[in-house]
Amino acid sequence: MTASLEELEEHLSRLRAQLREARRARDTAATSRIRGELREVEAAWERALDAEEAAGGTSEEEPATRGIPLSAPASAATPLGRGRQEKRSAQGAVPIREQVHQSLTLLGAPASPKLISSVYEAFFTEPLVATKLASLRRDEERSFSAQGYARPYYICAALTHDRLTPARGLLAVSVWPLERRIIAPLSQRADFLTHAVGTAEQIQRLSAAGHPPSEAAWQLLGRFALNIPGACDSDDLDPERVISAARLEAAVHQQADDTERRASAERARTQLTDGQQLFGAAPLHNTLRNAGHVTR
């Protein structure tokens, strides 16, 4: 009988408690055994979550772009990768953390759940339920606390440059350099331009390979182009022009932004643990509240 999500989550909680005890006791055999069981139960939890989503479906979609006076080439009306979508549907849904990883890798910089969802639907022809991302970072942090670097990557936080706390509403990939995950005063604009370049380059790759990009992909590029000076001046979108305009503006911000990021990253490496470098230091109000509990 297949365990429910609730049962699997309870099992995960028990295993994590057992793992803490085993590590405190320095019982390496028990630690290794429990970690192996944790990986198996986490995989079962991922499968159960995907199965629940597939059974229940979703009615949430990214609102269609309206009023954008930019048009894609006529070939863009052809849906991207329909055969790939049918093959993937037959094989089973892609885990949510992998969907997020693919979108972030394409974008190349920390991004919001809404943008991550839009990118995945535009280029990978499957829906990504943005509401499921709310708990993903916390789940990843718990997994890292229990298993360390057992996974090849984690979906983690971007960090504020001053307090090194999690940047609100931004997700990143653990294998990125720490400097790329720092959000300094100029970083949000710099990252926006990086997102635009990543989107345009993916459209170029698809076109070169003979796979017409989807209408959603062109609309996404159009939204970027409208906010970059010189990226468009007509009704036709040119990915190369978007890339050139984005890089031209990025060069203006790069030196100041890189300097701020490097300085914050150096502080993070000396002040934070490995886990905090991925998921951020505790916000000050949490630290004060915990200190209050201790003194009482």
Side-chain angles (χ1 to χ4, degrees):
M1 179 177 177
T2 304
S4 68
L5 275 170
E6 291 75 15
E7 291 170 336
L8 290 168
E9 286 165 356
E10 289 176 5
H11 194 181
L12 284 169
S13 296
R14 290 195 298 270
L15 286 172
R16 286 169 181 142
Q18 292 171 15
L19 182 61
R20 283 197 300 272
E21 294 302 319
R23 292 186 65 176
R24 286 171 183 164
R26 291 181 168 78
D27 187 339
T28 55
T31 297
S32 177
R33 174 181 56 78
I34 295 168
R35 278 181 170 162
E37 191 172 351
L38 259 173
R39 284 192 288 271
E40 292 175 3
V41 178
E42 282 181 336
W45 182 87
E46 291 274 8
R47 291 193 296 270
L49 189 62
D50 292 332
E52 182 183 81
E53 180 191 348
T58 177
S59 60
E60 297 187 23
E61 295 181 1
E62 180 77 7
T65 304
R66 296 175 184 171
I68 291 184
L70 300 169
S71 61
S75 61
T78 304
L80 168 64
R82 181 173 294 165
R84 182 174 59 184
Q85 181 181 17
E86 292 171 354
K87 179 180 179 182
R88 193 173 277 173
S89 299
Q91 293 174 340
V94 178
I96 184 71
R97 67 188 303 273
E98 185 177 333
Q99 291 178 317
V100 174
H101 180 254
Q102 290 173 345
S103 290
L104 286 171
T105 299
L106 187 154
L107 289 166
S112 67
K114 183 178 180 181
L115 178 58
I116 290 168
S117 179
S118 296
V119 167
Y120 197 83
E121 293 188 29
F123 290 106
F124 299 98
T125 70
E126 288 183 358
L128 190 160
V129 184
T131 52
K132 288 177 65 175
L133 302 186
S135 62
L136 177 61
R137 191 183 64 78
R138 292 193 298 273
D139 293 340
E140 294 285 281
E141 185 172 4
R142 284 194 291 266
S143 178
F144 182 84
S145 297
Q147 302 181 55
Y149 292 98
R151 290 178 170 180
Y153 67 86
Y154 287 88
I155 304 302
C156 61
L159 306 184
T160 58
H161 76 287
D162 48 358
R163 298 184 178 180
L164 303 177
T165 54
R168 178 169 230 155
L170 293 176
L171 297 175
V173 183
S174 62
V175 296
W176 288 349
L178 185 52
E179 287 80 357
R180 200 193 305 186
R181 294 190 288 106
I182 296 289
I183 304 299
L186 294 173
S187 298
Q188 287 195 316
R189 183 60 184 175
D191 287 348
F192 175 89
L193 298 170
T194 300
H195 297 158
V197 171
T199 301
E201 288 180 339
Q202 181 66 2
I203 285 178
Q204 287 181 323
R205 283 191 289 267
L206 290 170
S207 299
H211 302 298
S214 68
E215 183 67 28
W218 286 107
Q219 288 179 343
L220 181 62
L221 183 63
R223 292 200 290 272
F224 282 120
L226 283 174
N227 290 282
I228 301 172
C232 60
D233 62 0
S234 67
D235 287 344
D236 292 324
L237 264 176
D238 179 5
E240 186 58 43
R241 180 166 185 166
V242 175
I243 292 170
S244 297
R247 286 177 173 164
L248 186 63
E249 184 186 342
V252 175
H253 309 302
Q254 184 172 1
Q255 183 174 355
D257 186 47
D258 285 353
T259 300
E260 191 80 50
R261 291 198 202 211
R262 280 196 298 268
S264 297
E266 285 304 312
R267 281 198 301 114
R269 291 187 179 100
T270 58
Q271 296 176 11
L272 303 184
T273 64
D274 285 357
Q276 289 173 330
Q277 289 179 38
L278 293 181
F279 300 100
L284 181 59
H285 63 81
N286 287 353
T287 304
L288 294 174
R289 183 178 59 205
N290 294 338
H293 288 316
V294 171
T295 56
R296 285 197 292 272

